[in-house]
Amino acid sequence: MNEILLTLGGLTLGGSAAVVLLALLVRNTRGRYGAKWRCWAWLLLCLRLAIPLPLMSLLQEQAPIQVDLPNPPAAVPPAPAPAPTLPGNHSPVLPAPSGGEQNEPDTLPAGSAGTSALEPFEPVSREEEPSLSLSQAVLGMWLVGALAVLLWDIRAHVRFLSYLRRWSTPVTDGTAVQAFNQLGDQLGLDKRPHLLVCEGLKVPMLAGLLQTSLLLPRGTTTGEALGLSLLHELTHYRRRDIWLKTLAMWVNVLHWFNPFVWYMVRLVERDTELACDEDALRRLPPELYATYGQTILDAVARLQKKEP
């Protein structure tokens, strides 16, 4: 128990230092290291923080090796030497007991020091140990907090999925379906997400970890902006950014007490978007760079706009 807490504390301290280092590195290098490189760094950091167990001690623990050795042969005692005999006498000569040696009696007097008198047993009084130690209390608080954050995330995700099942329908627009298939071929996607349109969405998005769907808002994205939005979301799908975001959320559940981990989740969200934009721009001609950037800015503006 103490080993788990020490490992968790060491991981969260090391993770905090790594988050601060990566944040400062991006600010001081002026974009020398791309968002794609930072996403790999976030992935490695999240993989280590996602397992709060003492890995080294688990690897070092091995089952003891038992070797069955043959039992040694039993030792046979040597035969006693025969007693000396006198000439003409067939009976052995036995040594006479010395005068100072006397046979001890079978029993000793009751008052002698060698006897052990029966005395009443008095148990040794010990102080009562506390029922709940400090390490147990800390471990319990950590588990309760992690369970609360996990249930909150699951509740929000289940509500969102139920909303999608109720209001989403397959896309019937032939132009959108054709652009979706062409971009899927260009990106080399053998397996593609389901293309759906959903009422109430503000921007296109991906949803679902195992059965991913690409959701389009109804009637807000058309023409050239539709193709660029599909390229952005399919690039997310090709990069498997949704898996990295899910892993970062799991790390946030385990390290809910660390504010640097909450900040890391925001940085992962930002860097996955930037890395996706970098990959998408590599597939576009330079004359479409401005149009792509404007499409992303319009989507962010719609997302941040409050409902009247």
Side-chain angles (χ1 to χ4, degrees):
M1 184 180 300
N2 293 331
E3 192 174 0
I4 294 178
L5 293 178
L6 291 176
T7 303
L8 181 63
L11 283 177
T12 194
L13 289 177
S16 301
V19 171
V20 174
L21 180 62
L22 286 174
L24 294 177
L25 185 64
V26 174
R27 180 177 300 180
N28 296 331
T29 54
R30 297 181 180 180
R32 183 183 305 174
Y33 300 100
K36 184 177 181 180
W37 178 90
R38 296 195 300 272
C39 287
W40 281 106
W42 294 128
L43 176 61
L44 295 177
L45 179 60
C46 290
L47 286 176
R48 184 60 190 100
L49 295 178
I51 308 176
L53 295 177
L55 298 181
M56 297 304 298
S57 61
L58 292 179
L59 294 177
Q60 291 176 358
E61 288 182 358
Q62 299 178 356
I65 301 177
Q66 296 182 356
V67 180
D68 296 333
L69 298 177
N71 295 327
V76 179
T85 56
L86 295 177
N89 188 2
H90 297 286
S91 62
V93 178
L94 298 178
S98 59
E101 296 180 359
Q102 297 180 358
N103 295 332
E104 296 182 356
D106 296 337
T107 59
L108 297 176
S112 63
T115 59
S116 59
L118 297 178
E119 297 179 356
F121 174 75
E122 296 181 359
V124 180
S125 61
R126 296 181 179 178
E127 297 181 358
E128 296 182 357
E129 298 180 356
S131 58
L132 185 65
S133 62
L134 179 60
S135 60
Q136 292 175 343
V138 173
L139 183 62
M141 292 175 58
W142 170 63
L143 291 175
V144 170
L147 183 61
V149 177
L150 179 62
L151 292 178
W152 179 271
D153 292 341
I154 292 177
R155 177 177 176 271
H157 186 66
V158 169
R159 291 183 60 183
F160 180 68
L161 291 181
S162 62
Y163 176 84
L164 295 181
R165 284 193 296 267
R166 180 177 180 182
W167 298 105
S168 61
T169 56
V171 174
T172 57
D173 185 7
T175 303
V177 174
Q178 183 180 2
F180 175 79
N181 291 329
Q182 289 179 354
L183 289 172
D185 294 337
Q186 293 178 8
L187 295 175
L189 299 177
D190 296 331
K191 183 180 180 182
R192 303 171 188 180
H194 303 286
L195 185 60
L196 304 175
V197 61
C198 185
E199 190 73 31
L201 289 183
K202 297 180 180 181
V203 295
M205 61 180 303
L206 291 176
L209 188 62
L210 299 178
Q211 296 181 353
T212 309
S213 300
L214 198 162
L215 304 166
L216 297 176
R218 188 179 298 276
T220 58
T221 307
T222 57
E224 194 175 45
L226 174 61
L228 296 176
S229 299
L230 289 174
L231 175 62
H232 180 84
E233 298 303 327
L234 287 176
T235 304
H236 271 307
Y237 180 79
R238 181 177 179 272
R239 289 173 41 83
R240 295 179 177 85
D241 289 334
I242 193 171
W243 287 88
L244 177 57
K245 295 178 182 179
T246 304
L247 180 61
M249 292 180 62
W250 170 250
V251 172
N252 192 28
V253 168
L254 297 177
H255 301 266
W256 57 269
F257 53 88
N258 189 351
F260 289 100
V261 175
W262 292 84
Y263 181 54
M264 184 198 71
V265 175
R266 296 178 55 186
L267 294 179
V268 169
E269 182 75 23
R270 182 201 64 182
D271 287 340
T272 51
E273 293 297 331
L274 293 177
C276 178
D277 292 336
E278 292 176 358
D279 288 349
L281 289 175
R282 293 191 185 98
R283 301 179 180 275
L284 293 176
E287 57 269 16
L288 290 180
Y289 287 175
T291 306
Y292 178 85
Q294 189 61 43
T295 302
I296 299 300
L297 291 177
D298 293 341
V300 173
R302 290 195 305 268
L303 189 62
Q304 295 179 350
K305 183 180 179 180
K306 297 182 179 179
E307 296 292 340

